[in-house]
Amino acid sequence: MSRDRIQIAGAEVAVVGGSIAGCATALAAHRAGAGRVTIYERTTGRLADRGVGLAVHNARYAELAAAGYLDAAMPWVQLTTRRWYVRDGSAPLGRQVGVLPFPFRSYCWGPLWQELRRRLPEDTAFRPGVRVAAVSDAEDGAVLHLDGGESVEAGEGGEGSGERQHVGAGRPTERFDLVIGADGYRSVVRDTAFPGVRPDYAGYLAWRGAVPADRLTELGFPGLPADPWAEEDCIYGVFPGGHVIIYRIPDGRGGRRANWVLYTAPPAGLDLGLDTPTSLPPGTLTDALYTHLAHVTDELLPPYWGGLMRLTPRQEVFIQPMYDFTAPRYTAGRLLLAGDAATVARPHTGAGAVKALQDAAALEAALHAVQERPDALAAYGAERGETGRTMVELGRRLGRFLVQDTPDWHTLGQAGVEAAWAAADGSGAFGGRELKS
């Protein structure tokens, strides 16, 4: 990788992608001594308003807090217990078939992103609405080819960075010493480093939504208290061919939301064009998809949990098709990969945000070590690549167990649930691998 030619101290660094992985890796570059960091985020919307949930295993939280990427000031809810329910006639909650530990802290995506964003130095250039269309090699660096606006948001109003050029009537370009690809599963940086590496569609979808906790009283099932499940509980509602996960998250304003994620295949014969990586954002659900969601909530899940999901307005529900892949390496010359640009594991692993934050912590350590160890970034790529492959394989095993080849849940009791979970999580990596020092 010719690391001997890279001086991280004072280097101009570009981060492509401004979400959690982007802000975390930008922070890593700053802490390692980069001179100036520019973040390119293709969207113009308020990332802080994203209200979906995520969970971080307690042990992974401790590691990331020690590394300075998480702390107790970020709003969170402590979860302890995972309860598994099946539909049982008209019983509102269904029948509990098993209970497993669930030592996780839950977060809301938007407030967590906002806290990471606030930690960046004021001279960080954050450029929303600017799309990186391509990346190419330059002498001792890499060049970004840009589409989109020219607005710059650096701290509370700084300037952009990099060497700006306009080549004829083509796209504007900017050269950097190092480019970090944190631009998600459709990463242009990865496509430059490893052309042809694409996420594979797993054959099923994740429907997602959230409900303000104070709306749960609207469900009003006779015989149930207004709030029949403990704040520390994570609910698994299971049925043939899928399941829903429900847990509380902070709303960023001192309250709570019930976050839910439903995994199941789309209706048979419906062509959604999912072989090309895509998503269905809020407001784009077709009638057929919404009808299928209603079938699952009304016919396959216990009434209370299905009713909770139906409280989410149709225009707020969105869909993430399940994809997975991992890049051959996380490094290629002056290009580095992190987060979903490097590896996408199915969310069953409980480790999506964890892996992105771990990538940042590991990258910071590698950048610090480059001067003494020219192979430090290659070592970062090898170590994080191994972790990525482990999580992809775990996601596939859990996907088979929870969606694609589900057991007969009604015949499983506590011992059966414990045995089935242990077989699916054979590596013990649920919640993420330990962060290597």
Side-chain angles (χ1 to χ4, degrees):
M1 294 182 63
S2 301
R3 290 298 113 195
D4 56 313
R5 293 188 295 150
I6 285 187
Q7 300 289 330
I8 189 61
E12 294 276 356
V13 177
V15 177
V16 183
S19 63
I20 285 176
C23 287
T25 51
L27 186 60
H30 276 296
R31 288 176 173 175
R36 187 163 173 81
V37 177
T38 303
I39 302 173
Y40 296 87
E41 169 53 43
R42 61 181 170 228
T43 67
T44 56
R46 278 179 48 83
L47 296 180
D49 292 337
R50 293 184 180 177
V52 298
L54 58 93
V56 176
H57 192 284
N58 287 355
R60 305 291 79 78
Y61 166 80
E63 296 165 349
L64 290 166
Y69 289 87
L70 290 176
D71 64 42
M74 298 174 173
W76 57 284
V77 175
Q78 181 64 65
L79 306 174
T80 65
T81 307
R82 180 168 29 164
R83 300 186 183 276
W84 303 65
Y85 289 95
V86 296
R87 188 178 179 95
D88 187 13
S90 60
L93 299 181
R95 177 167 59 87
Q96 183 173 286
V97 295
V99 181
L100 294 177
F102 197 74
F104 281 74
R105 302 160 73 103
S106 72
Y107 294 86
C108 184
W109 196 101
L112 178 59
W113 172 85
Q114 198 166 32
E115 289 295 329
L116 288 167
R117 175 79 178 87
R118 285 173 181 158
R119 293 171 183 226
L120 293 171
E122 288 188 0
D123 65 351
T124 304
F126 193 95
R127 304 184 61 180
V130 180
R131 187 178 74 91
V132 176
V135 185
S136 60
D137 291 330
E139 185 176 355
D140 296 330
V143 173
L144 304 186
H145 302 258
L146 308 178
D147 279 343
E150 298 299 317
S151 60
V152 176
E153 177 202 342
E156 295 299 319
E159 298 177 349
S161 69
E163 299 175 8
R164 286 196 57 78
Q165 309 169 45
H166 289 268
V167 182
R171 296 185 175 105
T173 64
E174 298 186 5
R175 193 201 71 82
F176 291 88
D177 299 308
L178 201 63
V179 172
I180 300 171
D183 48 339
Y185 65 101
R186 292 178 288 189
S187 170
V188 67
V189 181
R190 185 190 66 246
D191 196 48
T192 299
F194 305 107
V197 173
R198 295 285 189 278
D200 295 321
Y201 175 51
Y204 59 98
L205 311 175
W207 279 258
R208 300 197 65 152
V211 181
D214 58 10
R215 290 199 60 203
L216 299 183
T217 57
E218 298 175 22
L219 294 173
F221 284 91
L224 279 186
D227 192 357
W229 56 301
E231 179 167 279
E232 63 269 19
D233 283 353
C234 174
I235 305 303
Y236 271 51
V238 292
F239 57 90
H243 67 294
V244 66
I245 301 174
I246 304 172
Y247 56 88
R248 288 180 176 85
I249 62 173
D251 65 5
R253 298 181 295 275
R256 298 286 188 261
R257 290 165 68 84
N259 179 76
W260 58 265
V261 188
L262 170 73
Y263 298 94
T264 193
L270 189 63
D271 183 10
L272 299 174
L274 300 178
D275 289 337
T276 299
T278 189
S279 63
L280 284 77
T284 64
L285 260 67
T286 65
D287 289 343
L289 286 171
Y290 194 71
T291 298
H292 186 63
L293 174 63
H295 168 70
V296 173
T297 57
D298 297 351
E299 304 295 333
L300 302 182
L301 288 169
Y304 181 88
W305 310 117
L308 181 155
M309 295 163 62
R310 293 294 295 272
L311 289 176
T312 304
R314 173 175 175 170
Q315 65 271 20
E316 295 180 11
V317 177
F318 67 98
I319 287 180
Q320 292 177 290
M322 290 294 95
Y323 298 100
D324 54 25
F325 82 100
T326 190
R329 299 185 306 280
Y330 279 32
T331 55
R334 298 299 180 105
L335 308 182
L336 308 176
L337 301 176
D340 286 352
T343 295
V344 170
R346 301 180 204 178
H348 312 300
T349 61
V354 164
K355 196 192 74 63
L357 294 169
Q358 285 183 333
D359 287 349
L363 179 59
E364 179 186 349
L367 290 172
H368 273 299
V370 161
Q371 296 307 112
E372 293 74 30
R373 287 181 46 227
D375 66 338
L377 287 177
Y380 155 80
E383 189 274 317
R384 297 310 298 161
E386 179 184 357
T387 296
R389 286 187 290 275
T390 296
M391 300 316 297
V392 166
E393 288 305 314
L394 173 61
R396 290 172 178 170
R397 288 199 305 274
L398 293 177
R400 287 191 291 270
F401 164 51
L402 291 167
V403 181
Q404 296 165 304
D405 189 18
T406 52
D408 184 351
W409 295 109
H410 284 83
T411 67
L412 296 185
Q414 178 67 29
V417 170
E418 290 178 357
W421 180 263
D425 183 26
S427 66
F430 179 64
R433 283 289 194 190
E434 180 180 356
L435 179 61
K436 294 183 180 179
S437 57

